[in-house]
Amino acid sequence: MMEGNSTAGSFTPSQQFSIADLVVVVVYFSLNVAVGIWSSCRVNRNTVSGYFLAGRDMAWWPVSRDLRPSCDTLGSRDIPPNSLFCAPAFSTACPHFPPPCIPPSARIRIVTMPEYLQRRFGGERIRMYLSSLSLLLSIFTKISTDLYSGALFVQVCLGWDLYLSTVLMLAPDAVHRSRAGGLAAVIYTDALQTLIMVLGAIVLAVKAFNEIGGYPNLEEAYLKAVPSKIVPNTTCHLPRADAMHLFRDPVSGDLPWTGMTFGLSIMATWYWCTDQVIVQRSLSAKSLSHAKAGSILASYLKMLPLFVIIMPGMISRVLYPDTVACVDPEECTRVCGAAVGCSNIAYPKLVVELMPSGLRGLMIAVMMAALMSSLTSVFNSSSTLFTMDIWRKLRPAAGERELLLVGKVVTVVLVALSVVWIPILQSSSGGQLYVYIQAVTSYLAPPVTAVFVLAVFWPRANEQGAFWGLMAGLVLGLARMGLELAYPVPRCGVPDLRPWLLADIHYLHFAVLLCAVTGAVTVGGSLLTPPLPSAWVSRAPGTPRPGPHGCVHPPDLLGRRRRCHPGPSKAKGPPAVALKDATEPPFWARVCGINAVVLMCVNIFCYAYFA
């Protein structure tokens, strides 16, 4: 257990750092910085392509690391600390049931996903809206959650104040490494962290299972993990009876199977196919084969969290129920500084208590570096969105030096806004970081999924329908989000008096409804307005339209361009940018296809086994 002091939320860890731990931390961070400097020297980071897309020359193995942020030991998008003692839901560990898709934009010379939709529909307002929405999501669900989860980890390990730990997460070294090296430095250092982190997580998982006598004893021990101090006349201190099952009641379940099957699939499509953090990594690959192979390796790695993160997190509750499973507000405030619960510290508590000297320091260093690297990934992607989709629209004549400077300045603004948001995040969704992230995502992301799917698979969809579909989805999503902030989840023992829209409609079910409404408005609006011209022109910003004898049709479902034979044109201006050859070697195309089938089979087996 951890001993409290006079400052709420500050405590002294029961395991102190040894000299070996400190040496390992210093050596690891030195190696990390060296890899970042080396990788940043491999590309010309003084150009937009070099800084934002790593020169479009990334091989499949480093790309795969940044396609799987949820496999970070403390990554908060898919597997945050609080979900670590929840049920071993495979869809929670891998909410994208198929492997991450390869966006059509991987075959088009673009930098952001909003740019792809602009070329698909024409106009500017959809691109501007999606870029602004992505920046908001970065603040609400990425930067603030990474800062908070990382600060919690530092707090557990060192006993520091939460906000002092937050400052440590913004160490100048990490920010400088990202800003100096751009995407290349982020990707290569992440690859190093993944290797060490996976090995360390496996060692910790083995030690955790040994502590409780192996996997056969997990379910029995978990159902008995009850804190000593409870709230009288309540059952919130008891573990859920369905904790070892994936399919839970669609009405009373905390993660209803209907919501996980359909709602999480909608949000996973948004994240893996349209989110800038993911798309930017695919666009940095040197070829389509490397982009596919990176996604497949990422999918293989995403099978690990179930066994090396979620189940060890459940064991953490078994071993330390008074800390991890506290329900009394005063006790929780003493333990972790959050009256609503301390489940977020499950995994770092396990690391501090079970890892031997030296390995403890290595795991702490890797996890802190991974969180900071996750932050720098979001910084890079967010600055790309603002710079390329918003600032360049406001200042079309901006040069590369100005664009790079703006990209760096916007990072500082995002950090400031995210730090201000942390207190709200800390008290939202009953203190469960995973629930908060998925809830906010379910209010804002489903409209983007609906429009993206229609844009790819329904040629009749036009700009008017897509825009008003997005606006309708935004209004409904913000209404639900506002109610969520106004009526937070009641604490243990307090009656639930929230409006029926919150109390009776799960946020995952709301995501399905929101996606359906957006799709219906988009289809209706498209059918009621004129279709796109058959010879709709797609062009880079600033490039003149072809003359009447030459045209460029929109991309087909695979992103290929169909060009008619241009005749003489008197249009002046720079020539259109040549597209990169998207052909694949037949052998590697077959290898990727076979592995994709194997992955699907394994996913289906795991889904059925834990149902």
Side-chain angles (χ1 to χ4, degrees), residues 31 36 132 160 174 179 233 236 244 259 294 457 481 498 500 514 530:
L31 179 61
S132 302
W160 292 1
R179 302 281 69 82
N233 302 320
C236 52
M244 300 300 294
F457 294 103
M481 184 175 175
R498 296 177 297 165
W500 67 270
L514 186 58

Side-chain angles (χ1 to χ4, degrees), residues 98-109:
C101 64
I102 305 297
S105 55
R107 295 191 178 199
I108 306 174
R109 302 294 287 180

Side-chain angles (χ1 to χ4, degrees), residues 440-509:
V440 173
T441 303
S442 69
Y443 306 151
L444 299 178
V448 182
T449 300
V451 169
F452 175 78
V453 171
L454 288 172
V456 174
F457 294 103
W458 192 45
R460 181 62 176 78
N462 62 16
E463 194 272 347
Q464 293 93 329
F467 177 77
W468 291 112
L470 289 172
M471 292 300 101
L474 177 65
V475 171
L476 294 177
L478 288 179
R480 168 74 185 235
M481 184 175 175
L483 287 174
E484 192 81 42
L485 295 175
Y487 299 93
V489 177
R491 297 178 182 176
C492 180
V494 178
D496 190 351
L497 301 178
R498 296 177 297 165
W500 67 270
L501 184 62
L502 299 179
D504 299 334
I505 300 181
H506 196 275
Y507 62 87
L508 293 178
H509 292 155

Side-chain angles (χ1 to χ4, degrees), residues 103 151 191 354 359 365 601:
L354 293 188
L359 284 180
C601 293

